[in-house]
Amino acid sequence: MNAVSIVIAIFVVLFTVGGLFFFTTSTIGLLRFPDFFTRLHATGKGDTLAVLFSLIGIGIYEGLSLTGFKILLIAVFMFLAQPTATHAISKAGMRCGLQPWKKEDNRK
Amino acid sequence: MKIVNLILVLCIGGFLIYGTLDMPGWGDPDSPASKHVSPRYIQKTIEETATPNMVTSILADYRGYDTMGETTVIFTAGMACILLLHGSIRKNRND
Amino acid sequence: MNTFFLVIGIGLCVLVFFVLYRVVFGPGVFNRIAAISAIGTKTLVIILIMGIIYNRIDMFVDISMVYALLNFIGTLAAAKYLEIGGEK
Amino acid sequence: MTDQAPIIIIIIPLMFALITPLLGWIRKNLCYPWVLLSITISALSSFIILRTVLLRGVIHYRLGNWDPPWGIEYVIDHLNALMLVIITVISLIVAVYSKKSIQREIPDKIVYFYTIFLLQVTGYLGIVISGDLFNIYVFLEIASLAGYSLIAIGDERAPYASFRYVVMGTIGASFYLLSVGYIYSVTGSLNIADVARLLPDLYNSNVILTALVFMFAGIGIKMAVFPMHAWAPNAYTHAPSAVSALMAPLMTKVAAYLMIRVSFTVFKPEFIIDVISLNSFISWIGAVGVLVGSIFAIAQNNLKKMLSYSVVAQIGYIALGIGLANNYGLTGAVLHIVNEAFTKGCLFLVAGGIVYRLGGCNINDFKNLFRKMPFTMTAFTIGAFSLIGIPPTCGFFSKLYLILGSIEADQWIFVGVLLFSSILNVIYFFRVIQVAAFEKQMPDHSREGPYEAVVIDEVPLTMLIPIQVTALGILLCGIFSTEIISAVIKHVIPVSF
Amino acid sequence: MIDFIIERYNFWIYIILMMIGLYAMITKRNLVKKVIGMNIFQTAIILFYISLASKRGGTLPILEHAHGEENLTVDVSNYINPLPHVLMLTAIVVMVATLGVALAILILIYRKYGTLEEDEILKKMQ
Amino acid sequence: MEVTLLIEAMDSSFRLLEDAKNQAVDIMNSAVRLTSETRIIEEKKLANIFKGAQSRRAVLQNVMATFVILFGFWVVLSGKFDLFHLTLGFICSLVISMLTHNLLFANVRVGDIKLTIIRFVRYLPWLIYQIFVSNFYVAYLVLSPKMPINPQIIRFKTKLESDISWVVLANSITLTPGTITMDIKDGEFYVHALAKKVADDLNAGEMEDRVAHIFMEADHIYVQDVLDVSPIFGVLRKGI
Amino acid sequence: MIRKTDDIIIRTVARILVPFIQIYALYVIMHGHYSPGGGFQGGVILGASIILLLITHGLVETTKKISERAIAIFSSIGVFIYAGIGVLCLLLYGNFLDYSKLSVILNVTPAEARSMGILGVEIGVSFTVMAIMISIFISISTTEDHSKYDKEHY
Amino acid sequence: MITPFNLIILIFVVICAITAITVKDLLSAVMILGAYSFFMCLMWTEMGAVDVAFTEASVSAGIGTILFIAAIIKTTRRSKD
């Protein structure tokens, strides 16, 4: 266990735990937020960063190889696909006439 | 009626549980399933088919005839869908 | 290191369990779809972690890639259906 | 090239089926001779195989040149060869017949109909010829999928009947798959011969018992034996007539073949009879099925529906014969498979012809039909005689053997059931013949003058010839039944009987 | 006894799933629900087969050192039994094919009767 | 030798089309200043003008560019560098690039591809930083017991013109937590914001400026639909 | 379902992703020997890419790329390749699907001939699967409109 | 096979299956069936059946859900049970 591998291990742990943290926040957001659009905020994109973190962590663990590059590509595709899916579903929600939750409503 | 069906389903499940009781345990490396036929696939896949992925070599070579049947199943399904739904006038082509 | 990744994976599974609450009880189809797409992302990471535990990650990357590329098609189709059909 | 005859039987209909849709773009009319050509080649090679088997015994054909437990092999013994000949002949007859009938019933879907027709024949042949448990499942699914879609293009109610069939058929096929898994889990093999070699040591385990029961349940659903017959009558009634003429004789018979294969080759008869004595259960189910099918058939007004219930009853006969599990009983069952294939083929073809002419199948509309369609109705009468069991036809001999088997097994109730069901058969067929032959057109009081002369309104030649050929087949099977038994069926009986 | 149950829990779960699917197929009146039940039912059987294949301490059925080494001896107990996987690939294909045909028939039924509820269809038939 | 010949033949044929291109660029530049309704009509005209010119050169360029990208992707995926697999990869990416040449580079309205890529790469860190920061903000929102959220839908009209920049802007908005692009109608973005702070951030328009900077819309340079790979050819010829 | 979306984001992203999905599918088909995957999976992914194009760009635009007639030809040709390789082995005095007999033509050892045979078979499978998946989807979602019972979806 | 994962995922699978057949809205049921397929895929990777998992992933994500949705569009979304 030389110094380099310790540093790598630290980075791996850092990134993966960071990913887990953001996953946790997005899940809590999904459970706590009041309506569909706000929940979409939590899941649709909190997850994106979390996935990026986790993938970077796993990629560092895997080292500089083609597999690591592939993992990076997965992240790229997630960045393309995930916001699009979020956008599509939120647009469908708006077109269907789902009313966004307002803070004022809550006070009444 | 629902109760009758439920009892029927439970009977089938109970019978399956009865049948599973003396099955080799889950993940047992000495079960007959892992001892009788499959070792040859694992040992000789490189030697006989030059393919490291055993699943592929079994799928397309040792049991290739099954896979031909499988492809025919897919073909049949496609033709069946066309047979059932095609032939009527297609008005909304762009829906 | 394997134990660490195992713990992370189990943590993700527990998170999936909470997301499943929205899938089961979530009012309306929209919440369910949002929750299911969240499950999709977590699944992707869990598959990679399993790859690490099996020590054969190059085999598991492909499955993750399939999810990254194809998972949003289902959501798109559902969104399109909702746009056409409307909330009923 | 005779070495390769087993594969030619399968591969020719398959490859011809692939080209059929492309051929349909060029000319729709080309499909019909194309289908005939392919099934003819297949039939010829099945005859070659039957001859080879009779001369030289069991044929083994290794696909991909792998040794049996690892690869898939064809094992063709006498029973297989007989079934292959029956399937190819019946499907050739139905294919000849289908020309006019399909043009009348589904004119805009001819091309795809013929494609799926060929695929279905491929499925049947593949089930019968294969010597591997899982391979049978795959081909069973080909045949079933083709069957679902062919039934669904029938009349108004056909889609719903077909959907019921999808649900039931999937349950059946999945049960079959499940039991293959159970067998695999304790033997580790899928090849029938290998499994049969390994099984006797395991006869007292729960797993094998479960596997057997589920396999019988799965095949029973496909075969439409009595408690699981709910899908069959509607499906066969509402399908196009060519389809019901193909499926009613063949699908159930193929499943019956599978049941014989499972009972006496995969599992040894000793297991079935001595260890768990499932056979008496099967024969009881068969006996109840005979009665229920016959009684329901009497209640029907629609000829096709009546015939469909009759299928259920006849399946009961076969199950009864299998369950008796002695020499006579099994001989009777196999002979009844042959007989049933021709008889039901003939009757459904006649029903299709009547639909072609009258536009419907209600028995009350059959007045004067004997005058209008003499040849067709003669064939119908022969078929009816065969089902009732009147001597020169094949049905007499198969019932005779079944009764002998019942006597040998000391099951006098079954003798009673068989005789009683013959009387029921007489009742429901006599109704049809009476309406068609003796009931005159009711005098039309509103009109004056003499009645119109009866016009002979026979079905077209492409439909008439198949009908006559099947009728002839019934008679020939009856006349040469002893030869069939001594040449083929004798070898099918397990040695322990 | 407890060990006995725990040793085979995968099988119990597969039986539960199969019962769920079978129940949906038999009891539910909505035809789409029946198709969903069909899917679950078939997946349960696949689960059973894959459980048969698994081997304690085994790795994936893909050889690790692919090329170059002649006469390499492969330890059988290191690799999971690949045969059930192959069978289940075929079963999944059959599943998809059945799904397609069932959905096509479902559309035909809706076209004729305008409903997907079994009791309403039966009512409209008479 | 053949390569030089091929490139020269290409080059001469390109030069023939130069006039058409210049003309089109003029029309385009004037077109973008018009209102949005007339813009569509002008685009159609432009498309007609370019139909002839596009047919060979544009297709060839698109195929080349797609092929290069896809082949790179293949090599990364494959990880096997023997001749057999590289040949397979060559054939596969050639087939796919023939089939999909007008998908990857359909409406990319860029002036200088190199500059755009450089600017886009420079844009990414900023984006990731933004994502990072606002993700923490959302985490704060989620975890704080009172949950001080105040959702609101804001609507703004973008000054961006081209499709691709819209897409980049919309996806960037969606990626930064706190905001989701809900709809785009006639150049108007409907954005759902989680709290007032993020809405204000968005209204400042920094992201929009940056996106405009990438695609050189701030400079009002609009060149044709086609990716311009002629610099690559120039490099090739110099090398030979 | 098969209608062009009016949403520019979805359209653009789908357009960008489709070539990558396709090349990935081809990778899966060709590398079935070394990593998970093979003809069926690759065929499904190819079909999914075309389906993505169908639900975002509409039928008309997609059929410019791959016409319905081409889909029908592909679906037949796939199984035909499979059975054809088998028959080729038959003609080389082997049993059906005995790929090792192909070594005469390909001039390699029997084991490698089997490997090549597997590759050819997988390509055949992928053709059929792709074409059938697309055609099932098209025939389900372009059937005649029978909305006399409920008009809500149109 | 990784036992802790297996236990957790089996619970998920059963929950998803029960929800899919009890929920009244057909679109929800179909989407939940998609999630069920996710978990099945996860389980198969966990048991080492990579090829089966790959097939399940591509089938469920690429074809299954979409075919269901297309069929629901052509028919109806309401369900009595």
Side-chain angles (χ1 to χ4, degrees):
Chain A
M1 198 92 177
N2 54 356
V4 179
S5 61
I6 288 173
V7 170
I8 285 178
I10 288 172
F11 267 105
V12 169
V13 171
L14 217 61
F15 275 109
T16 325
V17 170
L20 190 63
F21 171 71
F22 284 116
F23 269 130
T24 318
T25 54
S26 77
T27 309
I28 295 173
L30 183 71
L31 292 177
R32 274 191 75 190
F33 277 152
D35 81 325
F36 163 66
F37 291 106
T38 42
R39 279 173 201 151
L40 211 53
H41 280 287
T43 66
K45 315 150 301 161
D47 274 9
T48 320
L49 187 70
V51 165
L52 182 70
F53 269 35
S54 312
L55 290 184
I56 287 174
I58 294 169
I60 293 173
Y61 180 77
E62 199 45 37
L64 242 168
S65 64
L66 276 173
T67 312
F69 210 82
K70 271 191 205 175
I71 292 171
L72 205 70
L73 275 179
I74 293 176
V76 171
F77 289 128
M78 284 302 291
F79 265 66
L80 264 174
Q82 190 72 12
T84 316
T86 311
H87 164 74
I89 191 68
S90 73
K91 184 179 162 195
M94 201 175 98
R95 294 258 167 111
C96 285
L98 241 66
Q99 286 303 315
W101 179 84
K102 288 267 171 54
K103 201 168 186 179
E104 284 75 17
D105 298 347
N106 214 19
R107 275 180 193 154
K108 276 175 202 171
Chain B
M1 197 58 202
K2 273 191 178 179
I3 299 296
V4 176
N5 288 336
L6 191 63
I7 290 170
L8 179 68
V9 170
L10 285 177
C11 283
I12 290 174
F15 197 68
L16 280 174
I17 289 174
Y18 166 75
T20 318
L21 284 180
D22 58 359
M23 202 173 261
W26 182 53
D28 183 10
D30 290 326
S31 64
S34 353
K35 283 288 174 196
H36 180 45
V37 172
S38 63
R40 165 158 170 171
Y41 298 136
I42 298 172
Q43 280 167 339
K44 299 213 171 161
T45 174
I46 284 283
E47 187 188 318
E48 289 180 346
T49 63
T51 306
N53 188 348
M54 301 155 205
V55 176
T56 305
S57 69
I58 300 172
L59 186 77
D61 198 351
Y62 290 97
R63 298 182 71 85
Y65 182 65
D66 261 358
T67 311
M68 195 183 80
E70 170 208 305
T71 320
T72 315
V73 168
I74 279 284
F75 183 77
T76 313
M79 287 300 133
C81 278
I82 296 174
L83 174 76
L84 292 175
L85 300 174
H86 194 85
S88 43
I89 318 130
R90 293 208 201 167
K91 273 182 268 176
N92 304 297
R93 289 180 65 85
N94 254 336
D95 261 352
Chain C
M1 210 66 192
N2 268 1
T3 327
F4 168 72
F5 276 112
L6 193 67
V7 170
I8 294 280
I10 289 172
L12 280 175
C13 282
V14 171
L15 287 183
V16 170
F17 194 79
F18 288 118
V19 178
L20 221 52
Y21 172 81
R22 274 274 166 256
V23 175
V24 177
F25 298 105
V29 65
F30 285 100
N31 285 313
R32 291 198 171 109
I33 292 174
I36 285 167
S37 73
I39 288 176
T41 51
K42 290 176 180 64
T43 309
L44 195 149
V45 178
I46 294 175
I47 287 174
L48 283 179
I49 284 174
M50 281 177 188
I52 289 175
I53 293 171
Y54 265 109
N55 226 347
R56 302 284 294 276
I57 193 167
D58 47 335
M59 303 296 160
F60 288 73
V61 168
D62 289 346
I63 306 172
S64 278
M65 187 90 96
V66 171
Y67 269 130
L69 284 171
L70 296 187
N71 200 9
F72 84 121
I73 300 182
T75 316
L76 279 192
K80 195 158 181 187
Y81 169 64
L82 290 166
E83 264 178 54
I84 298 172
E87 172 80 340
K88 290 274 158 35
Chain D
M1 214 53 198
T2 37
D3 292 351
Q4 308 291 351
I7 192 66
I8 284 175
I9 292 184
I10 302 290
I11 204 72
I12 289 293
L14 176 58
M15 289 182 90
F16 276 51
L18 300 177
I19 300 176
T20 313
L22 306 184
L23 209 65
W25 288 345
I26 305 169
R27 278 183 82 93
K28 271 188 177 180
N29 300 343
L30 283 177
C31 291
Y32 176 67
W34 185 250
V35 169
L36 285 190
L37 176 67
S38 74
I39 298 184
T40 311
I41 297 174
S42 201
L44 285 181
S45 46
S46 74
F47 275 114
I48 292 173
I49 282 184
L50 181 60
R51 189 167 155 273
T52 322
V53 169
L54 289 180
L55 290 182
R56 273 189 264 156
V58 183
I59 298 178
H60 291 266
Y61 184 88
R62 291 182 297 169
L63 289 151
N65 213 6
W66 295 111
D67 298 331
W70 293 282
I72 297 170
E73 68 165 347
Y74 288 160
V75 181
I76 306 164
D77 57 10
H78 293 79
L79 184 57
N80 286 22
L82 184 67
M83 286 303 293
L84 286 175
V85 170
I86 290 171
I87 291 170
T88 45
V89 167
I90 295 282
S91 54
L92 181 62
I93 290 168
V94 176
V96 172
Y97 172 87
S98 67
K99 186 180 185 190
K100 291 280 176 187
S101 143
I102 290 304
Q103 266 175 0
R104 172 70 62 90
E105 287 177 31
I106 34 172
D108 51 347
K109 295 175 176 176
I110 294 176
V111 179
Y112 296 107
F113 169 80
Y114 278 123
T115 313
I116 294 190
F117 185 92
L118 275 182
L119 287 169
Q120 192 173 21
V121 174
T122 314
Y124 293 150
L125 292 172
I127 296 170
V128 171
I129 204 170
S130 177
D132 190 279
L133 284 172
F134 190 76
N135 196 255
I136 289 173
Y137 169 74
V138 173
F139 279 88
L140 194 67
E141 280 293 339
I142 295 177
S144 315
L145 280 176
Y148 305 149
S149 58
L150 285 181
I151 287 172
I153 55 174
D155 61 4
E156 279 285 302
R157 293 183 180 188
Y160 182 64
S162 172
F163 191 82
R164 298 270 304 268
Y165 184 24
V166 170
V167 172
M168 292 298 285
T170 310
I171 292 179
S174 301
F175 276 174
Y176 179 81
L177 183 61
L178 193 64
S179 80
V180 172
Y182 270 69
I183 290 176
Y184 177 74
S185 77
V186 287
T187 61
S189 176
L190 291 169
N191 188 284
I192 287 181
D194 202 32
V195 167
R197 186 175 61 78
L198 288 169
L199 272 185
D201 302 336
L202 301 158
Y203 274 162
N204 48 8
S205 84
N206 299 346
V207 180
I208 292 301
L209 178 63
T210 319
L212 180 73
V213 169
F214 273 88
M215 192 170 271
F216 272 19
I219 297 171
I221 288 174
K222 288 281 178 195
M223 191 174 154
V225 290
F226 158 62
M228 298 165 279
H229 69 281
W231 57 270
N234 279 326
Y236 292 149
T237 310
H238 301 298
S241 42
V243 175
S244 37
L246 179 70
M247 284 192 70
L250 292 186
M251 184 71 218
T252 49
K253 302 306 162 306
V254 167
Y257 154 79
L258 210 55
M259 191 170 255
I260 292 177
R261 180 61 75 197
V262 168
S263 321
F264 300 121
T265 311
V266 179
F267 296 95
K268 289 279 176 288
E270 298 84 45
F271 179 55
I272 310 264
I273 297 165
D274 302 336
V275 181
I276 56 170
S277 61
L278 192 70
N279 64 318
S280 61
F281 184 65
I282 292 174
S283 50
W284 276 105
I285 280 183
V288 177
V290 168
L291 290 180
V292 170
S294 304
I295 290 167
F296 270 99
I298 290 174
Q300 303 306 323
N301 266 333
N302 185 324
L303 178 61
K304 268 169 109 176
K305 199 154 198 167
M306 193 182 96
L307 291 178
S308 311
Y309 274 109
S310 167
V311 169
V312 175
Q314 306 298 318
I315 286 296
Y317 283 116
I318 297 172
L320 183 66
I322 296 171
L324 286 176
N326 53 28
N327 197 340
Y328 286 124
L330 195 58
T331 311
V334 176
L335 195 63
H336 204 73
I337 288 179
V338 180
N339 164 34
E340 250 292 278
F342 280 102
T343 312
K344 273 286 153 0
C346 174
L347 290 176
F348 269 101
L349 290 180
V350 170
I354 293 170
V355 171
Y356 185 81
R357 274 294 171 232
L358 297 186
C361 230
N362 199 322
I363 293 174
N364 297 328
D365 299 340
F366 285 4
K367 283 157 194 161
N368 245 348
L369 214 56
F370 251 106
R371 303 266 176 81
K372 282 185 198 162
M373 309 156 89
F375 296 106
T376 315
M377 290 315 281
T378 312
F380 181 84
T381 314
I382 293 174
F385 281 179
S386 170
L387 278 193
I388 295 165
I390 290 176
T393 57
C394 187
F396 170 71
F397 295 100
S398 58
K399 279 194 184 178
L400 185 66
Y401 276 103
L402 287 175
I403 289 174
L404 286 178
S406 311
I407 292 171
E408 194 181 298
D410 266 348
Q411 300 276 12
W412 291 93
I413 297 176
F414 292 156
V415 180
V417 166
L418 287 168
L419 292 175
F420 183 59
S421 79
S422 284
I423 296 170
L424 292 177
N425 280 349
V426 171
I427 292 172
Y428 62 75
F429 278 111
F430 185 69
R431 244 175 82 221
V432 179
I433 292 170
Q434 183 228 357
V435 170
F438 306 123
E439 223 171 272
K440 291 283 180 300
Q441 197 83 35
M442 289 301 281
D444 198 351
H445 293 295
S446 63
R447 240 176 52 192
E448 292 171 7
Y451 298 131
E452 284 177 84
V454 174
V455 188
I456 288 188
D457 197 14
E458 207 32 276
V459 291
L461 209 58
T462 49
M463 294 168 82
L464 191 60
I465 290 175
I467 293 174
Q468 301 304 326
V469 170
T470 41
L472 195 65
I474 297 170
L475 290 177
L476 287 181
C477 280
I479 293 164
F480 293 107
S481 61
T482 43
E483 279 80 3
I484 294 178
I485 290 169
S486 63
V488 183
I489 299 178
K490 195 178 66 187
H491 303 278
V492 175
I493 314 294
V495 278
S496 58
F497 284 178
Chain E
M1 187 62 196
I2 298 293
D3 282 353
F4 186 74
I5 291 174
I6 287 173
E7 201 185 15
R8 290 179 172 73
Y9 64 87
N10 237 9
F11 294 140
W12 312 138
I13 297 289
Y14 116 76
I15 290 170
I16 290 173
L17 280 180
M18 218 192 78
M19 278 156 65
I20 292 170
L22 204 58
Y23 182 74
M25 278 171 92
I26 298 175
T27 314
K28 295 284 171 184
R29 281 168 304 170
N30 189 292
L31 300 186
V32 178
K33 281 285 173 63
K34 283 189 186 225
V35 179
I36 289 174
M38 203 159 90
N39 219 319
I40 293 174
F41 182 61
Q42 285 166 324
T43 330
I45 290 173
I46 297 172
L47 173 59
F48 166 65
Y49 267 80
I50 302 295
S51 307
L52 283 186
S54 66
K55 211 182 268 185
R56 216 170 280 116
T59 181
L60 316 181
I62 299 171
L63 288 186
E64 278 176 279
H65 0 261
H67 271 304
E69 294 161 57
E70 298 294 320
N71 307 328
L72 81 168
T73 50
V74 182
D75 189 4
V76 174
S77 63
N78 272 347
Y79 291 95
I80 294 171
N81 182 0
L83 187 55
H85 297 181
V86 176
L87 306 183
M88 284 313 103
L89 281 181
T90 311
I92 289 179
V93 176
V94 170
M95 201 170 93
V96 177
T98 316
L99 175 67
V101 174
L103 289 178
I105 292 173
L106 224 131
I107 289 174
L108 276 185
I109 290 174
Y110 190 77
R111 202 189 263 182
K112 297 243 160 73
Y113 302 105
T115 177
L116 287 182
E117 303 291 325
E118 204 165 28
D119 44 352
E120 289 176 21
I121 291 171
L122 288 175
K123 212 181 286 170
K124 283 191 183 177
M125 264 186 183
Q126 284 145 12
Chain F
M1 186 60 200
E2 278 101 358
V3 179
T4 11
L5 270 180
L6 182 72
I7 288 172
E8 258 175 16
M10 261 183 206
D11 211 67
S12 59
S13 64
F14 292 170
R15 219 167 286 150
L16 284 176
L17 302 165
E18 206 73 326
D19 290 342
K21 179 183 171 183
N22 286 335
Q23 193 187 347
V25 169
D26 289 345
I27 293 175
M28 187 89 155
N29 281 340
S30 58
V32 292
R33 293 187 188 94
L34 298 174
T35 54
S36 57
E37 290 92 358
T38 50
R39 191 185 140 213
I40 297 163
I41 304 167
E42 289 290 332
E43 268 188 4
K44 274 181 189 163
K45 272 188 201 168
L46 225 150
N48 281 334
I49 289 173
F50 265 88
K51 214 169 246 173
Q54 236 181 359
S55 54
R56 289 196 174 267
R57 173 189 172 186
V59 167
L60 198 66
Q61 287 185 355
N62 277 346
V63 168
M64 289 280 295
T66 317
F67 173 77
V68 170
I69 291 174
L70 290 184
F71 191 66
F73 187 54
W74 171 280
V75 168
V76 169
L77 285 175
S78 163
K80 293 200 183 306
F81 301 105
D82 53 312
L83 187 66
F84 179 68
H85 286 97
L86 283 182
T87 320
L88 274 183
F90 186 84
I91 295 166
C92 291
S93 21
L94 199 65
V95 169
I96 299 294
S97 55
M98 298 275 223
L99 283 175
T100 63
H101 62 86
N102 56 353
L103 287 181
L104 204 52
F105 292 112
N107 290 315
V108 187
R109 186 169 304 172
V110 284
D112 188 351
I113 182 78
K114 260 194 278 180
L115 200 58
T116 307
I117 289 174
I118 290 169
R119 285 180 178 181
F120 187 74
V121 171
R122 270 193 214 143
Y123 169 74
L124 277 181
W126 181 81
L127 180 68
I128 290 172
Y129 171 71
Q130 285 293 317
I131 293 170
F132 195 72
V133 167
S134 19
N135 234 321
F136 270 109
Y137 181 64
V138 167
Y140 156 71
L141 283 183
V142 167
L143 295 177
S144 63
K146 273 193 280 180
M147 205 158 60
I149 59 170
N150 183 15
Q152 45 193 280
I153 294 179
I154 54 175
R155 196 177 75 170
F156 67 91
K157 195 156 182 72
T158 179
K159 60 188 177 188
L160 300 176
E161 299 281 352
S162 65
D163 295 355
I164 186 79
S165 52
W166 281 7
V167 173
V168 170
L169 178 60
N171 270 1
S172 306
I173 289 174
T174 311
L175 272 176
T176 47
T179 45
I180 300 178
T181 320
M182 287 167 75
D183 207 347
I184 304 178
K185 269 183 198 158
D186 309 328
E188 272 191 348
F189 279 61
Y190 292 73
V191 175
H192 185 271
L194 199 52
K196 191 130 185 15
K197 178 174 168 286
V198 277
D200 290 344
D201 283 354
L202 196 68
N203 268 335
E206 193 192 354
M207 187 181 279
E208 199 180 347
D209 288 342
R210 284 179 183 265
V211 173
H213 177 69
I214 297 175
F215 295 101
M216 282 166 271
E217 303 205 345
D219 317 339
H220 291 287
I221 296 173
Y222 296 102
V223 191
Q224 212 296 128
D225 279 331
V226 184
L227 174 74
D228 195 2
V229 286
S230 51
I232 302 174
F233 285 105
V235 170
L236 269 178
R237 200 160 61 166
K238 261 181 220 164
I240 295 161
Chain G
M1 195 74 182
I2 306 187
R3 182 189 287 161
K4 193 167 180 168
T5 47
D6 53 351
D7 191 319
I8 199 153
I9 300 172
I10 295 173
R11 247 177 18 218
T12 313
V13 171
R15 223 181 57 203
I16 292 171
L17 274 181
V18 163
F20 289 104
I21 296 178
Q22 286 179 347
I23 200 87
Y24 180 68
L26 289 183
Y27 155 76
V28 168
I29 294 167
M30 303 294 172
H31 288 248
H33 294 56
Y34 310 102
S35 55
F40 179 72
Q41 294 91 329
V44 170
I45 301 172
L46 266 182
S49 78
I50 305 281
I51 286 174
L52 176 60
L53 214 55
L54 277 170
I55 62 177
T56 53
H57 284 67
L59 185 62
V60 177
E61 210 163 301
T62 312
T63 41
K64 278 179 200 160
K65 297 212 172 308
I66 177 164
S67 65
E68 287 182 62
R69 184 159 283 213
I71 292 170
I73 290 177
F74 267 128
S75 62
S76 282
I77 259 181
V79 194
F80 204 81
I81 288 175
Y82 205 131
I85 289 177
V87 172
L88 192 65
C89 305
L90 214 64
L91 297 179
L92 294 168
Y93 305 106
N95 276 359
F96 188 67
L97 291 175
D98 184 4
Y99 310 131
S100 61
K101 292 287 185 291
L102 293 176
S103 61
V104 183
I105 303 178
L106 296 171
N107 204 8
V108 285
T109 60
E112 280 171 3
R114 283 192 181 271
S115 174
M116 299 301 277
I118 290 172
L119 185 62
V121 161
E122 302 248 6
I123 291 171
V125 174
S126 71
F127 276 6
T128 296
V129 171
M130 175 194 79
I132 292 297
M133 290 304 162
I134 301 165
S135 78
I136 289 179
F137 180 70
I138 289 182
S139 48
I140 282 184
S141 47
T142 62
T143 44
E144 195 181 344
D145 180 10
H146 284 260
S147 49
K148 64 180 172 183
Y149 296 108
D150 85 4
K151 289 205 182 319
E152 66 201 33
H153 302 308
Y154 294 94
Chain H
M1 58 201 233
I2 308 161
T3 319
F5 277 130
N6 196 304
L7 276 170
I8 301 173
I9 297 165
L10 283 173
I11 298 167
F12 292 168
V13 165
V14 174
I15 290 174
C16 270
I18 292 175
T19 318
I21 66 166
T22 47
V23 77
K24 290 233 196 284
D25 178 13
L26 285 184
L27 185 64
S28 299
V30 169
M31 294 308 283
I32 293 168
L33 197 68
Y36 171 84
S37 289
F38 280 174
F39 292 134
M40 274 297 180
C41 169
L42 214 53
M43 194 136 87
W44 292 330
T45 37
E46 167 266 324
M47 282 198 255
V50 196
D51 276 81
V52 185
F54 202 113
T55 316
E56 180 73 21
S58 53
V59 164
S60 72
I63 296 293
T65 315
I66 297 176
L67 281 188
F68 264 119
I69 292 175
I72 291 176
I73 283 188
K74 283 291 163 190
T75 58
T76 180
R77 194 175 136 194
R78 285 177 302 244
S79 148
K80 275 189 194 163
D81 55 3

